[in-house]
Amino acid sequence: MTQPTVLLAVFGCDSEAQAIRAALEWFGATVIKKGIGRPNDFLDVIEGKTIIAPDYVVLVGHGSDGGFCMEELGESVYLPGEPRGKITAGHISGRVGLKNTVIISTACATGRDSLAAALCVNGNSYIAPEDYPEGNSDLFFVIRFFYELMQNEKTAREAYEAARATDGETEMYRFWEGENL
C-alpha cells in the first residue's frame, strides 16, 4: 500500500475537509491541512509555497462557473494585486510551482479546460467536477479515489475511473494530465 503525502487546502466546507482528512489518515496517508483565509493563501498553495512537497493537493471549497470562490475581505484588508472574488485560470496561469502533483478540486464547476491548462504544467494532473455535484458525492469521490489508490494500488487514472463510475453525481468529475491540453 502506498502512503502519499496529501495537502488539504481548505477555503470553505471545513466539515468535508475533516472527513477527508480522517479517512486518508486512516488509510495511512500523511495529511497536512492548510486553511485558506485570503486569495493569496490559495495562490501560495498553487505556487508550491508550502511546508511540504505534496504528492496530492485536494482543494476543498466552493466553486462557480470555472472559478474558485474566495471569501470576500474588507477592501482595506486586500494586499496590492490580490485577486478579488473568484480565482480563475487567468490568476493561476504561469504561477504554478507544484511539480508532479495530482490536484483534486471538490469545488463545483471547476472542471474546466481553462483551469486544467493552467494547472497541468510541471507534470501535474488535475481532477475536478464539471458541474455542481451534490456535496456528499464530492466527499465520496475523494475517499473512493484514495481508497483505490492506496488500498488497491491503482494508478491515479485507474483510481479516478473507479471513483467516477459510482453514479451520475461522481460522473461529473473529469481528469486531465499532460501539458498539451
Side-chain angles (χ1 to χ4, degrees):
M1 177 186 328
T2 61
Q3 295 181 332
T5 301
V6 180
L7 176 66
L8 289 179
V10 184
F11 53 101
C13 306
D14 193 60
S15 294
E16 180 182 17
Q18 290 175 28
I20 292 170
R21 181 179 190 164
L24 299 189
E25 286 177 343
W26 183 262
F27 295 162
T30 298
V31 181
I32 305 295
K33 181 181 170 192
K34 168 139 178 74
I36 305 297
R38 59 184 317 124
N40 280 353
D41 293 342
F42 183 92
L43 294 173
D44 283 349
V45 169
I46 299 303
E47 291 171 359
K49 296 177 183 173
T50 59
I51 61 171
I52 59 166
D55 302 306
Y56 298 84
V57 170
V58 182
L59 304 170
V60 181
H62 296 288
S64 176
D65 298 322
F68 299 97
C69 299
M70 297 289 112
E71 292 291 324
E72 186 175 334
L73 305 175
E75 194 57 38
S76 65
V77 178
Y78 284 103
L79 298 172
E82 189 167 28
R84 278 126 171 102
K86 292 190 295 189
I87 292 183
T88 64
H91 297 110
I92 294 169
S93 186
R95 298 179 77 160
V96 178
L98 297 168
K99 292 182 171 69
N100 301 313
T101 304
V102 177
I103 303 163
I104 303 170
S105 170
T106 67
C108 290
T110 55
R112 300 289 197 265
D113 290 336
S114 59
L115 283 170
L119 292 165
C120 288
V121 297
N122 305 326
N124 297 331
S125 302
Y126 180 55
I127 301 170
E130 289 181 287
D131 208 346
Y132 296 83
E134 194 276 325
N136 290 336
S137 302
D138 287 327
L139 173 62
F140 183 81
F141 178 90
V142 173
I143 291 173
R144 175 77 188 269
F145 173 86
F146 281 101
Y147 176 82
E148 296 295 340
L149 186 82
M150 297 172 68
Q151 182 65 35
N152 294 329
E153 299 183 356
K154 293 189 176 184
T155 66
R157 172 67 80 170
E158 292 168 337
Y160 156 79
E161 292 292 346
R164 185 178 188 269
T166 302
D167 63 21
E169 297 293 311
T170 57
E171 284 179 355
M172 293 182 201
Y173 275 83
R174 289 191 52 205
F175 185 105
W176 292 265
E177 61 187 336
E179 298 182 24
N180 298 320
L181 301 175

